[in-house]
Amino acid sequence: MIEQQKQKPEIPYLTRIQILGAMGATAIILLIVAKLSLYLGNFSLFSWNLNQRELLLGVGLGLVITALSGVAYRVWTAYRKSADYYLEMVLRPLALPDLIWLGLLPGLSEELLFRGVMLPALGLDHLAVIVSSLCFGILHFSGSQQWPYVIWATIVGMIFAYSALLTGNLLVPIVAHIITNWISSYFWKMSQLRQLKNKF
């Protein structure tokens, strides 16, 4: 059996420090955009409050999204290739403890902007869900062949958006996003380490 050649990234591989710095810088930029939007716009931040019920709903939703992502990874070949390409670029240089930041930084900053600011700015309706989710999906674009990953991120963005609308609490998608990133990145990292061990 001929082993498939890995796609070369259109964006050059970054070092661990560069990726952590890029995650931090992206989080700061998204927070600044969110703050400016709130300052200049005629709307309020989507409400959120810390309580046990919504915290557990967020954890449960994160587990469901992770499971759905696993199914999509197994049955949708184009998505699997696209996800591997994206995760290879982002996760390979990171150490296991770095995955904590991979959950927290995007989970907080992206949810604040795409669900916390964009949903109320666009009217808290189905159109707001679609537009904010498309923007969220496009944020995950990393090359011309990576449309399946963008489609999946858009679908997940819609799930996050509806979870905020249905519960009235931004905490739910924040927690779900963090959990999804943590679990998905951990399992991908472990599978890569296993493959590396099997080679030796």
Side-chain angles (χ1 to χ4, degrees):
M1 187 154 94
I2 299 168
E3 196 175 310
Q4 272 191 321
Q5 199 173 13
K6 282 188 180 174
Q7 267 185 298
K8 286 189 177 176
E10 293 175 28
I11 302 166
Y13 282 120
L14 302 175
T15 65
R16 174 179 177 258
I17 298 301
Q18 288 172 324
I19 287 179
L20 290 172
M23 278 195 309
T26 302
I28 290 167
I29 290 166
L30 292 178
L31 289 171
I32 290 169
V33 170
K35 280 282 193 190
L36 280 172
S37 300
L38 287 170
Y39 180 74
L40 299 172
N42 189 21
F43 59 92
S44 300
L45 179 69
F46 198 100
S47 67
W48 74 287
N49 50 59
L50 186 59
N51 66 60
Q52 189 177 5
R53 181 178 173 271
E54 267 81 17
L55 189 65
L56 291 173
L57 274 173
V59 170
L61 182 60
L63 294 172
V64 167
I65 291 170
T66 304
L68 291 173
S69 181
V71 170
Y73 187 87
R74 289 181 192 280
V75 301
W76 185 12
T77 307
Y79 170 69
R80 181 170 56 250
K81 287 179 183 173
S82 186
D84 280 339
Y85 172 92
Y86 184 84
L87 296 171
E88 172 93 17
M89 196 170 54
V90 173
L91 292 180
R92 182 167 292 281
L94 299 181
L96 277 176
D98 298 335
L99 301 185
I100 293 168
W101 296 112
L102 189 69
L104 290 175
L105 290 174
L108 291 166
S109 61
E110 291 174 11
E111 291 311 309
L112 179 65
L113 178 61
F114 294 105
R115 264 59 73 176
V117 171
M118 286 188 81
L119 281 180
L122 296 170
L124 294 171
D125 56 15
H126 297 299
L127 182 61
V129 168
I130 292 166
V131 172
S132 64
S133 300
L134 281 170
C135 292
F136 178 72
I138 290 166
L139 178 74
H140 292 80
F141 180 76
S142 60
S144 58
Q145 301 301 309
Q146 304 316 305
W147 60 267
Y149 198 79
V150 172
I151 290 171
W152 180 252
T154 301
I155 292 167
V156 170
M158 292 178 81
I159 296 170
F160 288 153
Y162 279 118
S163 76
L165 289 180
L166 291 171
T167 62
N169 194 344
L170 189 61
L171 179 70
V172 176
I174 288 173
V175 172
H177 196 152
I178 291 169
I179 293 292
T180 301
N181 281 12
W182 276 344
I183 297 173
S184 300
S185 59
Y186 176 79
F187 279 119
W188 190 90
K189 196 78 174 161
M190 289 295 98
S191 74
Q192 296 304 302
L193 290 173
R194 275 195 304 274
Q195 285 177 23
L196 198 61
K197 280 181 186 175
N198 292 338
K199 285 182 180 177
F200 298 104

